[in-house]
Amino acid sequence: MTLFSIARKNIRQNFTNYFLYFASMIFSIVIYFTFVSLKYDETLQATSDASPKISSAFSGAAVVLMVFVAIFIWYSNSFFTRKRKKEVGLYSLLGVRKKQIGRMLFYENFIMGILAQIIGILLGSVLSKFFVSILMGVMGFEAIGDFTISLAAIVNTIIVFSLITIITSFQGYRLIYRFKLIELFQADKEGEQEPKSSFIMALLSVILVGIGYWLALQNLMESNAWKAMGFMVTPLVILATVILGTYFLFSTLTVYLLKMSRKNKRSYWKGINLIGTSQLLYRIKGNARTLTIIAVLSATTLTAVGTAYSLYYNNRSNVGLANPNSMMFIDQDKNVTNQVRDIISNNKNHDVIYHESIPTLQINADVTTLKNNLFSNEMMYTVISDSDFNKLAKVQKRTDKLSLKGNEAAALDAGYYEGMSPNYIGSTISLKVNDRVENITFKSLKKYNALNYYTASTTVVVSEQLFTQLGKETNSVKMEVYEITNEDEAKQLTKDIQLILPVEARFSSFYADYSAGMESSGLMIFMGGFLGLVFLAATGSIIYFKQLTEANSDKGRYEILHKIGVNKKEVKRSIAKQVLFVFALPLIAGIAHCFVALTALSRLMQTSLVIPVVICMGVYTCIYIVYYFLTVNAYYKIVTKSK
């Protein structure tokens, strides 16, 4: 029997233990192959105007995925080599040369890597059209491409994962040379010492995380801490305090709390809680680094996916703020304006809800006296009368109504941000009309637009009397405003109008911005979602591998418990509690970090992220629960399996 055949036999016999590792590798290869395939997909390139950006985005994501998968496979492989130490020691004791044992371990990992590549590429090829359909769907495209297999994607995937497989295979090969024979047989007993607890370090962990949270939730423009440390340094301080605090949380606070729980004799001596608590206590410090990485990675993944989904979820409302009208342009040529009117009114797919011609004035203003103005000293405003504002408010179904007198004014600013935007109310600016200056004072602020932002920019509403007076001294610009049905499906209508309107007309449409938002946010959610699934699969697998390694070490202890009368039901209950503790710690910490990060982000973006964040956290938790039950069942089978 050759070493290669022995390696194959070992894989078959231990496939149950290898399955999740093998499945995670296949999943990673499928996702990587999908990303590379989408980079070269001809349908996507032909459909999207931003295909170069999409290609670059997938290239960047593929690099991130490649690095992460390499670390994950290396990390996972180290768990299996630890588990195989006693077996390797037995081979060595029987007289098998180290070189032969190393080759056998190399063959095992290499065979699994090659099989994973074959299955992963085949699955990726079969599912490629499905993934393209998903991407084009979330980006708002309707075209569906033919089934194609990218040779470049196959070659790229084979090169990357062959390199990863060879490196990790050499890791197994070197195992036999790194340890002495006695160390291989005593591997399961390494690190079995009760960790010391420190109230000061436990308190420090809470303080560090608290500082990070406090800084993250501060108002950027008003916080003295942000101003003192700077806007570039403060985020680094937040990351450092939260990561370091999370590590101390797992390595010291949990140890301290577990030792405190032992003082509750009634609970500690109930059933076999003593066994579960002791095992957690002895191993929690050794697991602290792994749990910290998983918690931080979970928080990063949840934050990225939550942000991407939030942008996708809020795309319509965000576009609606910037474009309250379906279409809008400046009337520069009456004949062209009439052509546009005929195109819109004769279109069978869209009915006109309203059409207004709004006279406006384009006036430069001296804004040096505008409170909290952080930008320029002079700005161009679109000025409309309060009567025209009221007309637009009525057709746009708003309840607001303005009644301005004299030199009173109102600002319309959909992008208003507290602390960064000017303090309009009570401020006075100077409108420059020919050779004179007209001062106006802002009486109110409306945090929305009545005219589309791209066409009209920031809009100022003045009294009818002042508007008439200013109109005599400067040229009036008429803006055509349309609202139509099914505005998010007006692709062809938008193209038809763009063909006849000059650039100077500054045509803006709800559909153009909506489709661009769908394309960018859809791409982000697709990439974030799939990368998030890979990260989740990897982190869940790491905990699974770690627990199975410990289960093999604990098998003898549970056999003794069974012999002294502990039934299997009590054993499973103890295992469930023990594994729950390990799964819950990084999940709760990751969700808490994510919640704070997204709360800070929602304040910065001035939008509610509650629904998309809850959905992402719910999906993430459900998948973790699946991993939890798989781990409990696998752990239980190992410790109760008869020799």
Side-chain angles (χ1 to χ4, degrees), residues 112-366:
M112 288 183 60
I114 296 301
L115 285 174
Q117 284 188 57
I118 294 171
I119 296 172
I121 291 174
L122 287 174
L123 284 175
S125 300
V126 172
L127 296 173
S128 60
K129 184 177 180 181
F130 175 68
F131 287 133
V132 169
S133 301
I134 292 176
L135 177 58
M136 298 188 74
V138 296
M139 292 176 67
F141 299 138
E142 296 179 358
I144 302 297
D146 297 328
F147 177 76
T148 56
I149 298 176
S150 172
L151 182 61
I154 293 175
V155 172
N156 189 310
T157 304
I158 290 174
I159 292 173
V160 168
F161 281 90
S162 294
L163 185 61
I164 293 173
T165 301
I166 290 170
I167 293 172
T168 53
S169 298
F170 271 111
Q171 180 190 12
Y173 183 86
R174 290 179 60 245
L175 171 67
I176 188 64
Y177 293 98
R178 290 201 308 254
F179 301 99
K180 296 179 181 178
L181 186 60
I182 187 66
E183 291 175 336
L184 294 171
F185 280 107
Q186 297 294 324
D188 291 341
K189 298 180 181 178
E190 293 176 1
E192 296 289 329
Q193 294 182 353
E194 181 175 320
K196 296 179 181 179
S197 61
S198 170
F199 175 76
I200 295 175
M201 292 301 293
L203 183 63
L204 178 63
S205 69
V206 177
I207 292 173
L208 285 172
V209 174
I211 290 172
Y213 283 5
W214 179 77
L215 285 172
L217 295 174
Q218 292 293 298
N219 187 309
L220 275 64
M221 302 306 299
E222 298 178 1
S223 174
N224 292 326
W226 277 78
K227 292 177 181 177
M229 289 187 288
F231 292 97
M232 298 296 291
V233 176
T234 307
L236 299 177
V237 173
I238 293 172
L239 284 175
T241 53
V242 170
I243 293 173
L244 194 60
T246 304
Y247 175 74
F248 287 143
L249 192 78
F250 293 145
S251 63
T252 60
L253 181 61
T254 50
V255 172
Y256 182 80
L257 293 176
L258 285 170
K259 286 191 174 183
M260 289 291 292
S261 70
R262 291 197 304 192
K263 295 181 179 180
N264 185 350
K265 302 299 182 183
R266 186 174 181 181
S267 174
Y268 185 62
W269 293 101
K270 184 178 180 181
I272 57 172
N273 286 347
L274 178 150
I275 302 296
T277 303
S278 298
Q279 289 184 165
L280 283 171
L281 184 59
Y282 274 75
R283 288 170 175 160
I284 194 66
K285 196 161 188 176
N287 291 336
R289 184 172 60 180
T290 301
L291 295 179
T292 301
I293 293 171
I294 292 172
V296 172
L297 189 59
S298 298
T300 305
T301 303
L302 276 171
T303 302
V305 175
T307 302
Y309 185 57
S310 299
L311 293 172
Y312 186 80
Y313 183 84
N314 294 316
N315 181 48
R316 175 179 285 276
S317 58
N318 292 337
V319 173
L321 281 173
N323 298 287
N325 308 291
S326 300
M327 295 179 178
M328 182 173 163
F329 61 93
I330 297 173
D331 178 9
Q332 292 188 314
D333 186 319
K334 205 65 182 174
N335 291 328
V336 174
T337 299
N338 290 335
Q339 287 181 47
V340 172
R341 182 193 62 198
D342 293 339
I343 290 173
I344 296 175
S345 59
N346 294 329
N347 191 283
K348 296 180 180 179
N349 298 320
H350 306 279
D351 296 326
V352 177
I353 298 174
Y354 64 77
H355 169 216
E356 300 289 344
S357 296
I358 306 296
T360 67
L361 305 174
Q362 306 291 303
I363 302 178
N364 284 319
D366 183 351

Side-chain angles (χ1 to χ4, degrees), residues 593-635:
H593 296 344
C594 170
F595 179 79
V596 172
L598 289 175
T599 299
L601 188 64
S602 65
R603 290 181 179 179
L604 183 65
M605 295 170 61
Q606 292 189 312
T607 185
S608 175
L609 307 180
V610 174
I611 295 176
V613 168
V614 168
I615 292 173
C616 290
M617 288 183 177
V619 172
Y620 204 84
T621 304
C622 288
I623 297 175
Y624 244 66
I625 290 172
V626 172
Y627 267 100
Y628 165 72
F629 283 111
L630 286 173
T631 306
V632 170
N633 289 329
Y635 197 117

Side-chain angles (χ1 to χ4, degrees), residues 56 75 118 120 172 174 179 219 224 299 398 438 455 496 499 554 571 598 609 615:
S56 300
Y75 204 69
I118 294 171
R174 290 179 60 245
F179 301 99
N219 187 309
N224 292 326
R398 303 185 191 275
E438 187 75 42
T455 307
D496 293 342
L499 288 173
D554 295 339
V571 169
L598 289 175
L609 307 180
I615 292 173

Side-chain angles (χ1 to χ4, degrees), residues 309-605:
Y309 185 57
S310 299
L311 293 172
Y312 186 80
Y313 183 84
N314 294 316
N315 181 48
R316 175 179 285 276
S317 58
N318 292 337
V319 173
L321 281 173
N323 298 287
N325 308 291
S326 300
M327 295 179 178
M328 182 173 163
F329 61 93
I330 297 173
D331 178 9
Q332 292 188 314
D333 186 319
K334 205 65 182 174
N335 291 328
V336 174
T337 299
N338 290 335
Q339 287 181 47
V340 172
R341 182 193 62 198
D342 293 339
I343 290 173
I344 296 175
S345 59
N346 294 329
N347 191 283
K348 296 180 180 179
N349 298 320
H350 306 279
D351 296 326
V352 177
I353 298 174
Y354 64 77
H355 169 216
E356 300 289 344
S357 296
I358 306 296
T360 67
L361 305 174
Q362 306 291 303
I363 302 178
N364 284 319
D366 183 351
V367 293
T368 52
T369 55
L370 188 59
K371 298 175 185 176
N372 195 39
N373 178 31
L374 305 176
F375 304 103
S376 60
N377 294 326
E378 185 172 294
M379 287 186 66
M380 170 74 79
Y381 287 111
T382 294
V383 180
I384 64 173
S385 67
D386 56 357
S387 61
D388 285 323
F389 170 82
N390 293 336
K391 185 193 300 182
L392 283 172
K394 184 178 180 181
V395 295
Q396 292 172 0
K397 298 181 180 179
R398 303 185 191 275
T399 56
D400 286 344
K401 190 175 183 180
L402 290 174
S403 180
L404 303 172
K405 298 178 181 178
N407 284 34
E408 293 177 343
L412 307 182
D413 190 350
Y416 183 83
Y417 182 80
E418 191 72 39
M420 293 184 67
S421 296
N423 296 329
Y424 290 101
I425 298 177
S427 294
T428 299
I429 63 171
S430 303
L431 300 179
K432 297 180 178 180
V433 186
N434 293 332
D435 296 328
R436 73 180 189 87
V437 171
E438 187 75 42
N439 293 325
I440 58 172
T441 302
F442 290 106
K443 179 184 177 183
S444 66
L445 166 67
K446 305 298 180 184
K447 298 179 183 179
Y448 57 79
N449 292 337
L451 301 173
N452 292 5
Y453 184 79
Y454 176 76
T455 307
S457 190
T458 304
T459 304
V460 172
V461 185
V462 298
S463 65
E464 185 71 30
Q465 177 187 356
L466 181 58
F467 184 84
T468 302
Q469 180 183 334
L470 294 172
K472 294 177 180 178
E473 303 175 53
T474 186
N475 292 328
S476 175
V477 176
K478 188 169 286 187
M479 295 193 177
E480 299 296 317
V481 177
Y482 287 89
E483 182 70 15
I484 61 173
T485 58
N486 304 321
E487 59 185 358
D488 56 341
E489 299 175 2
K491 180 179 181 179
Q492 190 57 49
L493 181 59
T494 299
K495 284 186 175 181
D496 293 342
I497 295 173
Q498 286 174 332
L499 288 173
I500 62 173
L501 280 175
V503 176
E504 294 76 15
R506 304 189 66 173
F507 173 69
S508 61
S509 74
F510 178 92
Y511 172 79
D513 289 351
Y514 176 75
S515 61
M518 286 287 288
E519 186 172 321
S520 59
S521 62
L523 178 63
M524 287 177 62
I525 195 173
F526 180 87
M527 292 173 56
F530 274 80
L531 287 175
L533 284 174
V534 174
F535 294 166
L536 177 58
T539 53
S541 299
I542 287 171
I543 299 179
Y544 177 89
F545 302 147
K546 190 77 170 174
Q547 291 301 295
L548 293 196
T549 303
E550 294 176 359
N552 282 280
S553 301
D554 295 339
K555 187 174 181 179
R557 299 183 182 96
Y558 281 101
E559 285 178 353
I560 294 172
L561 288 174
H562 179 65
K563 289 177 181 179
I564 63 175
V566 178
N567 60 47
K568 291 185 177 181
K569 187 176 181 181
E570 288 180 301
V571 169
K572 192 164 188 178
R573 189 184 299 118
S574 175
I575 291 171
K577 290 180 181 178
Q578 184 179 325
V579 174
L580 178 63
F581 189 84
V582 176
F583 267 92
L585 279 179
L587 180 62
I588 292 172
I591 288 176
H593 296 344
C594 170
F595 179 79
V596 172
L598 289 175
T599 299
L601 188 64
S602 65
R603 290 181 179 179
L604 183 65
M605 295 170 61

